[in-house]
Amino acid sequence: MSVKYGILTLLFRQTHHGYELKLELDSLLGIKGKVNPGQIYTTLDRLIRDELVSSPGLDDQERKRYELNPKGKDELVGWLLEPIPNHGTKDDFFFKWNCARTIHFEQEKKMLEQQKAMIIEGVLELTKLKTELLLQNQEKRYLLISGMLFHLEADLNWINQVENRLR
Amino acid sequence: MITIENLSKEFLQGQQSTEVLKGVNLNIKEGEFVAIMGPSGSGKSTLLQLLGGLDVPTNGTIQIDQKYLNGMTEKERTIFRRKKLGFVFQNYQLLSTLTVEENIAFPLHADGKLTNEKNRMIQELIESVGLDGLNRKRVNLLSGGQQQRVAIARALVNNPAVLLADEPTGNLDRAKAEEILSLFLKFHHENKQTIIMVTHDIFAAGFADRIVLFRDGVVDRVISRKDGDYAKYLASFMA
């Protein structure tokens, strides 16, 4: 799970100081667990160096605040619209979608459709391979490919459910 | 092998006429496995009915094995159907009080008595669809997956050139559907049967060589894995 994109997501909504970012990130990652504070500050340093984030100064309690630059916003939108390859884990897409919902991403529908296209491509390629293995009696490889297809089916069902609820 | 030209079909309901097919053009090669997908009411099942000679088009022609279905009398169409075509339906359409082998043998009775050779063929079919030992069992005592296997064996008993299947896995869970599709694949591969399967399921359609998308009574697009944008198109088509 990417701390970088989690931070960009949270700063998209509003400015934050480091400790707030830690608490919000823990919540964004859900049950996947807590982020190490050191990791947040190293990532923030890198984001400032790359001009994706800047600091407008300190708040009234002298804590350093961070805000998103236009370049950071472009980076986040680009990432949201990039489908997760089928060999990636579904958690990667859940995280990305969670970030999209967090910022009320207006292109959520496009993002889901692109992910769906990626899955469908995988389904057709793997089914083709599966039929060849079936005809060649390659039982072990056939069952392995079948297992991958069951996972893709679950992912596709979930996207269909999200799309249906968006209507 | 199959040439469909400018095919249309209108249904009359009282004074109201509904055009379900609006000029379908499609060619299917001998030995090809084609899946037809599309939303409910897009005309895919009607096309299958017309291909099977179970109904007649309002306009246009269907040619199977260089014979026009349109030019045939009702009787000729029935004979053609029996010799050339096999049907598999979503709800199996078996005779529930008959046994497995009686159901499979049913299409053969029209050609006279069951010979030893025909009986041997029925036994072979029962084995190849994985129902050995269930010959004398009444079909209403079988599971859905087993009933669909009986239906497939019945559809193949005349060794038809073309197998028409309307949502053959629609009532089955994924594992049972996989078994049925594997049987289709096996017969398609071994007997070079042409298969035309209507389905709403992309996982079933993936077994086919080509996917024909239907929308509003016409062929919207024929999908081939070689087209660069096919997955994107399918994703928006299925949305």
Side-chain angles (χ1 to χ4, degrees), chain B residues 207-220:
Chain B
F207 276 73
D209 302 317
R210 280 196 298 163
I211 302 175
V212 178
L213 302 181
F214 253 69
R215 186 154 18 208
D216 297 331
V218 289
V219 173
D220 182 73

Side-chain angles (χ1 to χ4, degrees), chain B residues 147-190:
Chain B
Q147 289 194 45
Q148 195 58 302
R149 285 159 183 265
V150 178
I152 290 172
R154 181 186 59 185
L156 294 171
V157 74
N158 276 325
N159 196 22
V162 183
L163 187 65
L164 302 169
D166 195 356
E167 296 278 7
T169 56
N171 282 348
L172 305 175
D173 64 31
R174 176 64 59 213
K176 293 280 184 304
E178 180 81 7
E179 290 168 13
I180 296 301
L181 292 163
S182 304
L183 280 178
F184 276 8
L185 190 72
K186 182 175 113 175
F187 290 117
H188 168 63
H189 185 70
E190 288 172 3

Side-chain angles (χ1 to χ4, degrees), chain B residues 9-90:
Chain B
K9 178 68 184 171
E10 264 179 53
F11 289 104
L12 277 175
Q13 270 189 323
Q15 299 288 323
Q16 200 86 29
S17 94
T18 314
E19 198 177 17
V20 179
L21 295 180
K22 302 172 185 171
V24 173
N25 293 294
L26 186 65
N27 284 310
I28 295 168
K29 286 186 247 122
E30 190 173 348
E32 200 177 8
F33 187 166
V34 172
I36 299 179
M37 294 185 82
S40 303
S42 58
K44 47 195 196 309
S45 290
T46 304
L47 176 74
L48 220 58
Q49 298 274 316
L50 298 181
L51 274 173
L54 299 169
D55 201 349
V56 287
T58 311
N59 274 307
T61 57
I62 298 174
Q63 224 181 320
I64 301 180
D65 244 358
Q66 294 167 339
K67 290 199 174 61
Y68 281 101
L69 284 189
N70 310 51
M72 295 179 190
T73 62
E74 180 80 42
K75 195 178 168 193
E76 285 169 336
R77 225 177 24 245
T78 306
I79 295 170
F80 182 81
R81 193 161 55 223
R82 215 166 56 220
K83 293 205 180 306
K84 291 276 181 189
L85 309 175
F87 293 88
V88 179
F89 302 94
Q90 178 173 0

Side-chain angles (χ1 to χ4, degrees), chain A residues 54-68:
Chain A
S54 53
S55 173
L58 305 179
D59 66 6
D60 50 8
Q61 290 178 53
E62 309 237 313
R63 289 174 305 195
K64 194 174 179 183
R65 299 203 69 78
Y66 298 93
E67 69 180 11
L68 192 64

Side-chain angles (χ1 to χ4, degrees), chain B residues 74-137:
Chain B
E74 180 80 42
K75 195 178 168 193
E76 285 169 336
R77 225 177 24 245
T78 306
I79 295 170
F80 182 81
R81 193 161 55 223
R82 215 166 56 220
K83 293 205 180 306
K84 291 276 181 189
L85 309 175
F87 293 88
V88 179
F89 302 94
Q90 178 173 0
N91 54 1
Y92 327 128
Q93 298 205 3
L94 299 172
L95 296 160
S96 60
T97 55
L98 299 187
T99 65
V100 168
E101 61 185 12
E102 284 165 345
N103 265 283
I104 297 171
F106 199 76
L108 297 174
H109 289 301
D111 295 329
K113 243 181 120 192
L114 287 183
T115 58
N116 283 344
E117 196 198 327
K118 283 178 181 171
N119 275 319
R120 204 189 62 239
M121 198 166 74
I122 292 168
Q123 184 52 39
E124 274 175 20
L125 269 172
I126 289 175
E127 284 167 26
S128 66
V129 297
L131 292 174
D132 337 15
L134 296 174
N135 304 37
R136 304 266 159 89
K137 194 149 185 171

Side-chain angles (χ1 to χ4, degrees), chain A residues 112-166:
Chain A
L112 290 166
E113 208 167 289
Q114 290 186 154
Q115 189 64 34
K116 202 157 136 177
M118 179 81 77
I119 295 173
I120 287 171
E121 192 173 348
V123 168
L124 292 185
E125 297 294 331
L126 288 175
T127 306
K128 175 79 187 144
L129 178 60
K130 184 178 75 170
T131 57
E132 286 164 10
L133 296 170
L134 200 57
L135 292 171
Q136 294 161 7
N137 280 324
Q138 293 208 39
E139 182 71 2
K140 187 178 77 182
R141 290 186 65 204
Y142 159 72
L143 287 172
L144 285 170
I145 299 291
S146 293
M148 289 161 80
L149 280 161
F150 280 124
H151 281 284
L152 289 183
E153 185 175 14
D155 293 347
L156 197 58
N157 286 342
W158 180 75
I159 291 183
N160 285 336
Q161 186 192 20
V162 177
E163 282 184 336
N164 286 339
R165 291 177 71 90
L166 269 177

